[in-house]
């Protein structure tokens, strides 16, 4: 029995794609427009793509905040993965009485919105002199992404055949050697998937950075939010900053694409 394709499927696919990509397309075009072109009637559809004044002005005053975002995101991703992977491996392979309770408790902490802890975190970091510092944001971002990373990594470690882990133990490997030499290489696609999501979550975080920073450790999403004021919205700067903001996750995802696709399909087919 052959399936006939509806003649409306292709136009519908193009329409849905356009609806979801239109805001991004508008931002890309607006980033190369002057403020007069943005508000021009009739609208200027195709700007001068050699006009880079918006990017020059944006980066000349805010490049250090972009660097802060890079440092915080990379630091949070590395720190989160350093704790999440051993924890996930242990929860999958070690049998103890409270294992299921501990795993469920870890997941339950993810249900709390991060902003709910903003005031306690503000008080803690202020009391120890870490308010408005990059290490503080690294710790907070890593901590709030840790439950997600542990639970997703657990699903990938479960897909490693128990016989391989047991064989490594029989051959004399310690648990740390089994984790480092056997489990990590076998789950590398899954690890890349987890790291990509943690990277994106940390890169796009706004509320905690807005609450815990003032000047020195301010991140790029906070800078973007500052372009909309009570009296005026700087659309040309918002557009340029948005393009810069979306580039690192896109590049990171493209680099990890092969591993992500493999990781997302791990365990999809059972024998």
């Amino acid at each position: 029995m052959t399936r006939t394709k509806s003649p409306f499927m292709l136009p519908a696919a193009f329409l849905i794609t356009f609806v979801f990509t239109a805001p991004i397309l508008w931002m890309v075009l607006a980033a190369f427009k002057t403020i007069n072109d943005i508000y021009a009637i009739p609208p200027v559809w195709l700007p001068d793509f050699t006009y880079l004044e918006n990017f020059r002005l944006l980066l000349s005053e805010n490049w250090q905040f972009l660097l802060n975002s890079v440092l915080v995101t990379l630091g949070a991703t590395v720190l989160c993965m350093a704790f999440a992977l051993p924890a996930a491996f242990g929860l999958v392979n070690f049998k103890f009485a409270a294992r299921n309770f501990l795993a469920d408790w870890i997941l339950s902490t993810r249900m709390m919105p991060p902003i709910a802890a903003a005031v306690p975190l503000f008080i803690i970091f202020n009391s120890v002199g870490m308010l408005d510092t990059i290490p503080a944001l690294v710790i907070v971002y890593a901590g709030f992404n840790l439950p997600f990373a542990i639970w997703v990594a657990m699903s990938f470690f479960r897909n490693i055949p128990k016989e391989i882990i047991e064989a490594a133990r029989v051959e004399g490997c310690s648990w740390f050697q089994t984790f480092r030499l056997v489990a990590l290489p076998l789950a590398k696609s899954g690890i890349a998937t987890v790291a990509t999501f943690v990277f994106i979550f940390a890169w796009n975080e706004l509320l905690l950075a807005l609450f815990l920073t003032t000047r020195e450790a301010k991140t790029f999403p906070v800078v973007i939010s500052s372009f909309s004021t009570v009296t005026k919205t700087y659309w040309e700067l918002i557009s340029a900053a948005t393009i810069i903001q979306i580039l690192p996750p896109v590049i990171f995802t493209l680099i990890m694409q092969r591993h992500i696709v493999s990781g997302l399909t791990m365990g999809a087919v059972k024998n």
Side-chain angles (χ1 to χ4, degrees), residues 59-82:
L59 293 177
S60 65
E61 299 181 358
N62 301 289
W63 65 268
Q64 68 271 26
F65 305 127
L66 179 61
L67 180 60
N68 287 347
S69 281
V70 173
L71 294 176
V72 169
T73 302
L74 291 178
T77 302
V78 172
L79 182 62
C80 181
M81 298 303 291

mmCIF file of all heavy atoms in Angstrom, residues 59-82:
data_model
loop_
_atom_site.group_PDB
_atom_site.id
_atom_site.type_symbol
_atom_site.label_atom_id
_atom_site.label_comp_id
_atom_site.label_asym_id
_atom_site.label_seq_id
_atom_site.Cartn_x
_atom_site.Cartn_y
_atom_site.Cartn_z
ATOM 1 N N LEU A 59 29.715 46.491 19.976
ATOM 2 C CA LEU A 59 30.877 45.779 20.517
ATOM 3 C C LEU A 59 31.898 46.726 21.125
ATOM 4 O O LEU A 59 32.627 46.332 22.053
ATOM 5 C CB LEU A 59 31.526 44.945 19.411
ATOM 6 C CG LEU A 59 30.678 43.773 18.898
ATOM 7 C CD1 LEU A 59 31.386 43.054 17.764
ATOM 8 C CD2 LEU A 59 30.359 42.802 20.025
ATOM 9 N N SER A 60 31.971 47.948 20.638
ATOM 10 C CA SER A 60 32.948 48.894 21.201
ATOM 11 C C SER A 60 32.652 49.209 22.659
ATOM 12 O O SER A 60 33.564 49.500 23.439
ATOM 13 C CB SER A 60 32.965 50.180 20.375
ATOM 14 O OG SER A 60 31.714 50.854 20.480
ATOM 15 N N GLU A 61 31.393 49.141 23.044
ATOM 16 C CA GLU A 61 30.997 49.465 24.414
ATOM 17 C C GLU A 61 30.672 48.246 25.268
ATOM 18 O O GLU A 61 30.600 48.358 26.495
ATOM 19 C CB GLU A 61 29.785 50.402 24.392
ATOM 20 C CG GLU A 61 30.038 51.728 23.699
ATOM 21 C CD GLU A 61 28.813 52.631 23.720
ATOM 22 O OE1 GLU A 61 27.771 52.182 24.249
ATOM 23 O OE2 GLU A 61 28.895 53.757 23.211
ATOM 24 N N ASN A 62 30.475 47.091 24.632
ATOM 25 C CA ASN A 62 29.968 45.937 25.382
ATOM 26 C C ASN A 62 30.744 44.652 25.136
ATOM 27 O O ASN A 62 30.263 43.571 25.489
ATOM 28 C CB ASN A 62 28.490 45.704 25.031
ATOM 29 C CG ASN A 62 27.614 46.885 25.347
ATOM 30 O OD1 ASN A 62 27.347 47.202 26.497
ATOM 31 N ND2 ASN A 62 27.163 47.575 24.304
ATOM 32 N N TRP A 63 31.937 44.732 24.537
ATOM 33 C CA TRP A 63 32.668 43.505 24.229
ATOM 34 C C TRP A 63 33.038 42.742 25.501
ATOM 35 O O TRP A 63 33.088 41.503 25.503
ATOM 36 C CB TRP A 63 33.936 43.829 23.424
ATOM 37 C CG TRP A 63 34.943 44.634 24.195
ATOM 38 C CD1 TRP A 63 35.060 45.986 24.228
ATOM 39 C CD2 TRP A 63 35.960 44.129 25.060
ATOM 40 N NE1 TRP A 63 36.081 46.367 25.045
ATOM 41 C CE2 TRP A 63 36.668 45.244 25.576
ATOM 42 C CE3 TRP A 63 36.358 42.853 25.442
ATOM 43 C CZ2 TRP A 63 37.733 45.115 26.461
ATOM 44 C CZ3 TRP A 63 37.416 42.713 26.323
ATOM 45 C CH2 TRP A 63 38.100 43.834 26.821
ATOM 46 N N GLN A 64 33.291 43.460 26.598
ATOM 47 C CA GLN A 64 33.682 42.774 27.835
ATOM 48 C C GLN A 64 32.533 41.959 28.413
ATOM 49 O O GLN A 64 32.754 40.915 29.037
ATOM 50 C CB GLN A 64 34.203 43.778 28.871
ATOM 51 C CG GLN A 64 33.167 44.738 29.430
ATOM 52 C CD GLN A 64 33.039 46.008 28.600
ATOM 53 O OE1 GLN A 64 33.329 46.022 27.400
ATOM 54 N NE2 GLN A 64 32.620 47.088 29.253
ATOM 55 N N PHE A 65 31.303 42.405 28.179
ATOM 56 C CA PHE A 65 30.149 41.658 28.669
ATOM 57 C C PHE A 65 29.907 40.411 27.818
ATOM 58 O O PHE A 65 29.445 39.388 28.331
ATOM 59 C CB PHE A 65 28.907 42.547 28.689
ATOM 60 C CG PHE A 65 29.106 43.809 29.485
ATOM 61 C CD1 PHE A 65 28.830 45.044 28.939
ATOM 62 C CD2 PHE A 65 29.591 43.753 30.783
ATOM 63 C CE1 PHE A 65 29.011 46.204 29.662
ATOM 64 C CE2 PHE A 65 29.789 44.910 31.535
ATOM 65 C CZ PHE A 65 29.503 46.137 30.965
ATOM 66 N N LEU A 66 30.218 40.505 26.537
ATOM 67 C CA LEU A 66 30.165 39.317 25.677
ATOM 68 C C LEU A 66 31.210 38.297 26.131
ATOM 69 O O LEU A 66 30.946 37.094 26.178
ATOM 70 C CB LEU A 66 30.398 39.713 24.220
ATOM 71 C CG LEU A 66 30.397 38.583 23.196
ATOM 72 C CD1 LEU A 66 29.055 37.864 23.185
ATOM 73 C CD2 LEU A 66 30.730 39.119 21.804
ATOM 74 N N LEU A 67 32.398 38.784 26.481
ATOM 75 C CA LEU A 67 33.443 37.901 26.998
ATOM 76 C C LEU A 67 33.000 37.275 28.320
ATOM 77 O O LEU A 67 33.264 36.083 28.570
ATOM 78 C CB LEU A 67 34.739 38.681 27.190
ATOM 79 C CG LEU A 67 35.935 37.900 27.737
ATOM 80 C CD1 LEU A 67 36.310 36.742 26.814
ATOM 81 C CD2 LEU A 67 37.134 38.821 27.945
ATOM 82 N N ASN A 68 32.317 38.048 29.159
ATOM 83 C CA ASN A 68 31.785 37.486 30.409
ATOM 84 C C ASN A 68 30.845 36.322 30.133
ATOM 85 O O ASN A 68 30.899 35.287 30.802
ATOM 86 C CB ASN A 68 31.036 38.565 31.196
ATOM 87 C CG ASN A 68 31.954 39.577 31.848
ATOM 88 O OD1 ASN A 68 33.161 39.372 31.921
ATOM 89 N ND2 ASN A 68 31.395 40.672 32.306
ATOM 90 N N SER A 69 29.978 36.476 29.139
ATOM 91 C CA SER A 69 29.039 35.408 28.792
ATOM 92 C C SER A 69 29.776 34.152 28.346
ATOM 93 O O SER A 69 29.412 33.034 28.719
ATOM 94 C CB SER A 69 28.088 35.871 27.683
ATOM 95 O OG SER A 69 27.067 36.689 28.190
ATOM 96 N N VAL A 70 30.822 34.343 27.555
ATOM 97 C CA VAL A 70 31.600 33.193 27.080
ATOM 98 C C VAL A 70 32.257 32.476 28.255
ATOM 99 O O VAL A 70 32.193 31.233 28.371
ATOM 100 C CB VAL A 70 32.664 33.645 26.060
ATOM 101 C CG1 VAL A 70 33.589 32.490 25.701
ATOM 102 C CG2 VAL A 70 31.996 34.197 24.804
ATOM 103 N N LEU A 71 32.891 33.231 29.144
ATOM 104 C CA LEU A 71 33.585 32.628 30.282
ATOM 105 C C LEU A 71 32.607 31.933 31.228
ATOM 106 O O LEU A 71 32.862 30.809 31.685
ATOM 107 C CB LEU A 71 34.366 33.704 31.039
ATOM 108 C CG LEU A 71 35.523 34.359 30.293
ATOM 109 C CD1 LEU A 71 36.147 35.463 31.132
ATOM 110 C CD2 LEU A 71 36.574 33.330 29.905
ATOM 111 N N VAL A 72 31.485 32.589 31.510
ATOM 112 C CA VAL A 72 30.501 32.001 32.418
ATOM 113 C C VAL A 72 29.897 30.737 31.822
ATOM 114 O O VAL A 72 29.757 29.716 32.503
ATOM 115 C CB VAL A 72 29.402 33.024 32.747
ATOM 116 C CG1 VAL A 72 28.235 32.348 33.478
ATOM 117 C CG2 VAL A 72 29.957 34.156 33.592
ATOM 118 N N THR A 73 29.547 30.792 30.547
ATOM 119 C CA THR A 73 28.902 29.642 29.916
ATOM 120 C C THR A 73 29.843 28.448 29.827
ATOM 121 O O THR A 73 29.461 27.310 30.163
ATOM 122 C CB THR A 73 28.406 30.018 28.510
ATOM 123 O OG1 THR A 73 27.496 31.110 28.611
ATOM 124 C CG2 THR A 73 27.709 28.841 27.850
ATOM 125 N N LEU A 74 31.076 28.678 29.376
ATOM 126 C CA LEU A 74 32.034 27.570 29.284
ATOM 127 C C LEU A 74 32.361 27.016 30.667
ATOM 128 O O LEU A 74 32.420 25.793 30.862
ATOM 129 C CB LEU A 74 33.305 28.046 28.587
ATOM 130 C CG LEU A 74 33.170 28.376 27.099
ATOM 131 C CD1 LEU A 74 34.505 28.875 26.542
ATOM 132 C CD2 LEU A 74 32.703 27.160 26.303
ATOM 133 N N GLY A 75 32.562 27.919 31.634
ATOM 134 C CA GLY A 75 32.856 27.460 32.987
ATOM 135 C C GLY A 75 31.715 26.673 33.589
ATOM 136 O O GLY A 75 31.930 25.620 34.211
ATOM 137 N N ALA A 76 30.474 27.147 33.406
ATOM 138 C CA ALA A 76 29.319 26.441 33.940
ATOM 139 C C ALA A 76 29.126 25.087 33.267
ATOM 140 O O ALA A 76 28.772 24.101 33.931
ATOM 141 C CB ALA A 76 28.063 27.293 33.769
ATOM 142 N N THR A 77 29.358 25.031 31.965
ATOM 143 C CA THR A 77 29.203 23.760 31.249
ATOM 144 C C THR A 77 30.223 22.738 31.727
ATOM 145 O O THR A 77 29.878 21.569 32.006
ATOM 146 C CB THR A 77 29.352 23.985 29.736
ATOM 147 O OG1 THR A 77 28.382 24.934 29.288
ATOM 148 C CG2 THR A 77 29.152 22.679 28.973
ATOM 149 N N VAL A 78 31.479 23.141 31.840
ATOM 150 C CA VAL A 78 32.530 22.222 32.296
ATOM 151 C C VAL A 78 32.270 21.774 33.734
ATOM 152 O O VAL A 78 32.354 20.584 34.056
ATOM 153 C CB VAL A 78 33.917 22.894 32.175
ATOM 154 C CG1 VAL A 78 34.988 22.026 32.834
ATOM 155 C CG2 VAL A 78 34.263 23.138 30.706
ATOM 156 N N LEU A 79 31.934 22.721 34.605
ATOM 157 C CA LEU A 79 31.689 22.385 36.008
ATOM 158 C C LEU A 79 30.473 21.474 36.157
ATOM 159 O O LEU A 79 30.505 20.495 36.918
ATOM 160 C CB LEU A 79 31.477 23.665 36.818
ATOM 161 C CG LEU A 79 31.264 23.491 38.330
ATOM 162 C CD1 LEU A 79 32.495 22.860 38.974
ATOM 163 C CD2 LEU A 79 30.940 24.833 38.988
ATOM 164 N N CYS A 80 29.418 21.776 35.428
ATOM 165 C CA CYS A 80 28.208 20.956 35.493
ATOM 166 C C CYS A 80 28.480 19.535 35.020
ATOM 167 O O CYS A 80 28.068 18.561 35.670
ATOM 168 C CB CYS A 80 27.102 21.602 34.653
ATOM 169 S SG CYS A 80 25.536 20.717 34.676
ATOM 170 N N MET A 81 29.184 19.389 33.909
ATOM 171 C CA MET A 81 29.471 18.053 33.380
ATOM 172 C C MET A 81 30.419 17.295 34.295
ATOM 173 O O MET A 81 30.317 16.067 34.439
ATOM 174 C CB MET A 81 30.069 18.176 31.977
ATOM 175 C CG MET A 81 29.138 18.816 30.950
ATOM 176 S SD MET A 81 27.572 17.973 30.765
ATOM 177 C CE MET A 81 28.110 16.450 29.982
ATOM 178 N N ALA A 82 31.349 18.006 34.946
ATOM 179 C CA ALA A 82 32.297 17.350 35.850
ATOM 180 C C ALA A 82 31.596 16.698 37.036
ATOM 181 O O ALA A 82 32.051 15.669 37.550
ATOM 182 C CB ALA A 82 33.331 18.368 36.338
#
